[in-house]
Amino acid sequence: MARRYDSRTTIFSPEGRLHQVEYAMKAINHAGVCIGILATDGIVLAAEKKNVSQLLEPGRQSEKMYKIDDHVAVAVAGITADANILVNRSRLIAQRHYFTYQEPITVEALVQEICDVKQGYTQYGGLRPFGVSFLYAGWDKYHGFQLYQSDPSGNFGGWKATAIGANDQAATSILKTDYSTDISVEKAIDLCVKVLSKTMDSTNLSSEKLELATLTKSADDKLVLTVLTRRQVDDRLKQVAPENKEEGSTSAASVPATNTTS
Amino acid sequence: MSILQYNGGAVVVMTGKKCVAIASDLRFGVQQQTLTTDFPKVYELSPKCFVGLTGLVSDTQTLWNTLKFRVNMYKLRENREMKPSVCANLLSTMLYEKRFGPWFVEPVVCGLEGPDDEPFISAMDLIGAPLLAKDCVLAGTCTESLYGMCESLYKPDMSPDELFETVSQALLASNNRDAFSGWGAIVHIITPEKVITKELKSRQD
């Protein structure tokens, strides 16, 4: 029944659903999980990398995390090629804003603009929606550190802690119990590692599959985006490892990802 | 009078041994009226790439904002700083895009590039014709006297301190005789380790 109404993105089904948008969101469930946590002194983004073949040429930029501007970074879950388009768009949006107003774009304004682009693909043009969800971590002088999440429908929300990608419900339920509003960046990194170890389908959590980044303010009040080195990630994993061995993994089996999704 | 002399100003760039210096005056005026004396014409793209913009201030400011836009996008996409020689080419292209309605700006580009921190300097006219020199480049309202000063004072392979002295003397002597530039100067010496910035006092007229 639904089949008749889902080949065109821009029409409703009789039940009032946009099937293409829903299918786009399903595409994201195959992608490596991303977690974002808002701490008192910054934001932590963590991501599971799916493309970790030994044949892969290193040195290329991350497939999961991108810098949009000096004050905003995103973590990606979904079709990488689609994500690249939107990341480039958001970089242009941020620069255009800076050019016009000579001040950095506020995080919410940037998220809103990208979501407006995504929404356009659900209403006109007859083109399929973007199969990407983002976690945006940013700082501006009006609202401080902020964490946002957006999905293919163009909907977005501000969060204290959230997850997107495979097993995101398992991740958010752990975050619900373990997150507290006075958490520090240091503790938030540990929490990310803990959540990832429980939701990732690999039994062996290594720095090869895990990417961690933090957005904080340095001692002289400058915004710093740090991507942890593999060494630093390994150290963190060692710290959290003893706990994980006791509690065990609770992730469900998921469909293996193809190379298009990460 | 020429539109390029409406606001006045001067910039000079010299190369030394593994260092470059870029200096400009500080005057901002509208024809004969001086409005402020704290207006440098040197802008930093990165610790090893500086741009000097002389000409109509309205255009230099807008061109700078546009350049910053392009360089920021480059940095995000390529994940590295833009080399001075690449920046000079970008500026040249940007200027020629307005061939029949040009930016009234005459820029100079300088910096250190490559693993050996080779000095790079370049100047161009308002429609982007590039000049690749080895010793010095300059732009502004007192270029004739600046050329004379640089020609006589310059010698190759100067140390940062010698370079500072030479650039300062060349700029100050030219600015002091030019009605449209002066009111102090700012000098940046770019070395592989750091950038040394000094302000100079000149004839305050």
Side-chain angles (χ1 to χ4, degrees), chain B residues 3 25 38 59 64 68 70 79 81 90 107 145 147 152 164 179 184 196:
Chain B
I3 189 71
D25 72 320
D38 59 358
D59 283 5
W64 167 246
K68 202 77 177 90
R70 303 283 291 262
N79 213 22
E81 296 285 358
L90 172 62
S145 77
Y147 274 124
S152 45
F164 167 70
I196 308 154

Side-chain angles (χ1 to χ4, degrees), chain B residues 16 31 54 66 73 76 86 90 94-95 107 131 133 135 141 195:
Chain B
Q31 290 184 313
T54 62
T66 318
M73 287 307 296
L76 285 166
V86 175
L90 172 62
M94 283 168 70
L95 290 170
L131 168 71
D135 44 9
T141 48
V195 175

Side-chain angles (χ1 to χ4, degrees), chain A residues 242-256:
Chain A
E243 297 170 33
N244 289 342
K245 282 209 184 101
E246 297 167 28
E247 303 194 38
S249 177
T250 55
S251 64
S254 56
V255 178

Side-chain angles (χ1 to χ4, degrees), chain A residues 200 202 204-211 230 233-234 237:
Chain A
M200 273 165 70
S202 52
N204 251 339
L205 200 62
S206 75
S207 59
E208 198 191 21
K209 296 195 129 247
L210 178 49
E211 199 168 329
R230 293 234 356 217
V233 175
D234 277 324
L237 286 168

Side-chain angles (χ1 to χ4, degrees), chain A residues 61 67-69 88 91-92 95-96 98-99 102, chain B residues 62 65-66 68-69 72-73 75-79:
Chain A
Q61 294 177 52
K67 185 172 162 185
I68 304 298
D69 198 354
N88 198 43
R91 286 171 172 166
L92 286 166
Q95 289 304 312
R96 257 181 237 133
Y98 188 84
F99 181 88
Q102 290 295 295
Chain B
T62 308
N65 287 342
T66 318
K68 202 77 177 90
F69 185 120
N72 282 349
M73 287 307 296
K75 268 176 68 172
L76 285 166
R77 281 202 197 103
E78 306 255 336
N79 213 22

Side-chain angles (χ1 to χ4, degrees), chain A residues 125-144:
Chain A
L127 304 168
R128 68 163 175 82
F130 289 96
V132 196
S133 278
F134 287 111
L135 287 181
Y136 307 77
W139 181 94
D140 57 55
K141 69 181 189 199
Y142 300 104
H143 305 294

Side-chain angles (χ1 to χ4, degrees), chain A residues 90-106:
Chain A
S90 52
R91 286 171 172 166
L92 286 166
I93 289 169
Q95 289 304 312
R96 257 181 237 133
H97 182 101
Y98 188 84
F99 181 88
T100 312
Y101 300 103
Q102 290 295 295
E103 71 164 26
I105 191 168
T106 54

